[in-house]
Amino acid sequence: MQGRRDRRANHPHWLAWLFVLLLWPMAAAASGPARIGADASYAALAPNTTYFHDAGGTTTPEEADRLLDTGRFAPLPNGDASFGFQTGAFWFHVEVTNTNSREQRWLLVQQYALSDRIDIYARYPDGRTVHHTGGDTFPFEHRSIRYRHPNFWLDLPTGQPVDLLVRVQSQSSMQVPLFLYTPAAFAELSRDGQLGIGIYYGILVALFFYNLVLWLVLRDGSYFWYLFHITAFGLVLFTLNGLGFEYFWPHSTWLADKSVPLSVCLAQIGMQQFSRTFLGLNTRWRLGDRISKGIIAFFVLLGIAATQLPYHVATPIASAAVFPSILWIAVITLVVVRSGYRPAKVFLLAWAMFLLGTGIFVALAFGLLPKTFMTEYGVQIGSALEMLLLSVALGYRYAALRNENERIVRDAKNQLEEQVITRTAELRQAMSELESAHHRLRESSRLDGLTDLYNRTHFREAFEHLLSQSRNSQRPISLLMIDLDHFKRINDTYGHLVGDDCLRCTSNTLAETLRPHGALLARFGGEEFIAALPGLGLGEASVVAEELRQALRAQPCRSGELEIAVSASIGVHCVDLEARDSLESALQVADQALYTAKAEGRDCVRTL
């Protein structure tokens, strides 16, 4: 087993951090097996751990042993067991030798609360294998200790090497920080961690009741949505920390699975609505207000869909959507600050704290940042500062609104007519800007935002028109269903930004090749494209499809210094005009031809 340079693992509790540093007599060497020192009470296993990604999730323990023996397991990248959202399962291996004669019973803790299933295989020199299971697909009482992180009791006899083989399969972010504790050390560390979490939630509860009283007295909608924001975001962190599963739904694995995307959606709804009311977007920036309402509608629909969608689909979407959502709040705040609304400056400062903490946390979930104390708990620190500052901003806003109302009354008495003229002009200009924005939106709704090709909705409308013309003129019309081969491999290897460059490059090649044939070309979804060829029968369309396939092979996509070869599988179908085929049935036949091309080796053209 290859070693990695030892680095200190960050304990997830901020008060426990000092304690961890004081109790650090780890015997994990820079290479080879992990050795627990004679006086050690705590050990991080990452520096001595190797791993294997079982993308299909079908590898058995015996097969994992063979892969380990043949050197297929690799050291953790930079000693960090955070891989973001991944398919399949991950296997981890570490050999542990305990030289602490006073402690032979240790607690293995996987310090990430949302893993679905964890299998621990402890193999002893006498040939025994002890198997433990855990994760949030099991009821909470299944855990060795009632604690928010999955944990397992292990017997580690003094001086005897024990092989630990750990399998983790989860639809959540793949984060597998493994630590060993003596019972006493775990009790102290968990106590301090719970104290830190208690302080954080204590701040939230205090702010909740303080602003609840203000809302009941003032009946200002901003205070209500501030309370909603605190409650929803507190639920997000309660869920991510594993406390929701521990205290709220310990017997419901369904809620344990759905609580993350649902709570994220609720938190984003509260944030957007609070921002709208606090900043007065409906009067200060009407277009921004409409966009904010659209974002709220998106999270409402996503929350409803999350109750039916698999976790590995709903959670990455909800997590990724947090980025544009919080950035949009920063944008509207800057716009309102520039308009001269002073409370927005305090709001912007508060939001900067939250934006930084949340951005770091989401980047950690996708494996873009290593798991450290600041990356794992930056969102708690940022959100606590944000909510304190927002409470101050609400008070500042109330005073500013009161002063503004008094000023408006004075101005109304002295300059009523002038105010009416000014407001009318502003309203007309705002309506003009809205009309212009609506026109631009109508134009942009026909196009795919990434490739500038038509989108699927416009293709359907335009194809129905082309099909009607073909029936009237009795001229054939054919469909090409185009799918880029192994495109996910490009995203996984080079990243999604490079993948986007490849999609843009491919769309340009498709457009240039099909333009002479008068084709209607659109992005169908993901890496799939569709084209309608009016006036071409099956044979002619197949020739065009082959020309298109060769053009893609001949023109590698460029992204920066990279040149990436792209190929495509193409299904061809000529619509039967006499059968009165609908678009859906025609698409189905073309799609079947595409799947035939895939089944016969890809990078080819097939018909049915």
Side-chain angles (χ1 to χ4, degrees), residues 286 422-432:
R286 299 290 296 276
T422 301
R423 299 291 182 185
T424 303
E426 290 175 352
L427 180 60
R428 287 175 179 170
Q429 179 163 355
M431 293 298 293
S432 175

Side-chain angles (χ1 to χ4, degrees), residues 327-600:
L327 286 173
W328 173 246
I329 294 177
V331 169
I332 61 177
T333 307
L334 286 170
V335 171
V336 175
V337 166
R338 293 188 64 183
S339 72
Y341 185 51
R342 290 187 176 182
K345 295 181 180 179
V346 183
F347 185 91
L348 182 62
L349 178 61
W351 204 253
M353 300 295 101
F354 182 76
L355 180 66
L356 180 61
T358 304
I360 289 174
F361 183 82
V362 176
L364 173 64
F366 282 93
L368 303 178
L369 290 176
K371 192 179 185 72
T372 67
F373 175 78
M374 285 304 298
T375 58
E376 185 176 7
Y377 283 85
V379 67
Q380 278 91 336
I381 298 171
S383 63
L385 292 173
E386 177 243 4
M387 291 175 186
L388 287 169
L389 289 170
L390 284 182
S391 188
V392 173
L394 281 169
Y396 188 20
R397 174 182 177 273
Y398 176 73
L401 287 175
R402 183 183 59 191
N403 294 335
E404 178 70 9
N405 288 336
E406 293 174 354
R407 184 191 66 79
I408 291 174
V409 170
R410 290 194 302 269
D411 289 346
K413 291 179 179 179
N414 300 324
Q415 302 174 354
L416 180 58
E417 185 176 348
E418 181 180 345
Q419 288 288 327
V420 170
I421 295 173
T422 301
R423 299 291 182 185
T424 303
E426 290 175 352
L427 180 60
R428 287 175 179 170
Q429 179 163 355
M431 293 298 293
S432 175
E433 291 174 355
L434 277 174
E435 185 176 351
S436 176
H438 289 163
H439 177 72
R440 291 194 299 270
L441 284 173
R442 283 195 299 269
E443 289 299 315
S444 63
S445 66
R446 303 171 58 196
L447 301 177
D448 174 63
L450 177 64
T451 62
D452 285 335
L453 298 178
Y454 290 125
N455 57 30
R456 182 192 291 197
T457 301
H458 178 72
F459 180 86
R460 289 176 179 274
E461 297 172 355
F463 182 79
E464 292 291 349
H465 179 67
L466 290 176
L467 186 58
S468 177
Q469 288 182 335
S470 295
R471 284 172 175 154
N472 292 335
S473 63
Q474 289 299 302
R475 298 182 66 222
I477 184 170
S478 296
L479 281 175
L480 304 184
M481 185 71 80
I482 306 158
D483 183 73
L484 302 186
D485 297 329
H486 304 296
F487 192 78
K488 183 179 182 301
R489 188 181 302 167
I490 295 176
N491 281 332
D492 292 344
T493 303
Y494 302 103
H496 288 80
L497 294 179
V498 173
D500 288 348
D501 287 342
C502 290
L503 285 175
R504 282 188 285 267
C505 176
T506 299
S507 65
N508 291 336
T509 302
L510 294 175
E512 291 174 2
T513 305
L514 295 177
R515 188 177 295 115
H517 303 285
L520 172 64
L521 176 64
R523 184 183 179 193
F524 197 69
E527 64 271 17
E528 287 190 334
F529 300 85
I530 189 165
L533 298 173
L536 298 185
L538 185 62
E540 296 167 310
S542 299
V543 172
V544 173
E546 179 61 25
E547 177 186 350
L548 181 60
R549 185 191 69 81
Q550 293 180 10
L552 289 173
R553 293 286 294 177
Q555 298 184 32
C557 294
R558 294 188 60 85
S559 178
E561 299 297 325
L562 296 172
E563 284 195 0
I564 301 171
V566 175
S567 65
S569 301
I570 304 175
V572 184
H573 170 58
C574 182
V575 179
D576 185 354
L577 302 179
E578 299 300 327
R580 312 297 292 178
D581 278 356
S582 66
L583 174 59
E584 293 300 330
S585 60
L587 287 175
Q588 185 175 4
V589 177
D591 196 47
Q592 290 173 352
L594 171 62
Y595 273 92
T596 301
K598 288 183 177 182
E600 296 183 5

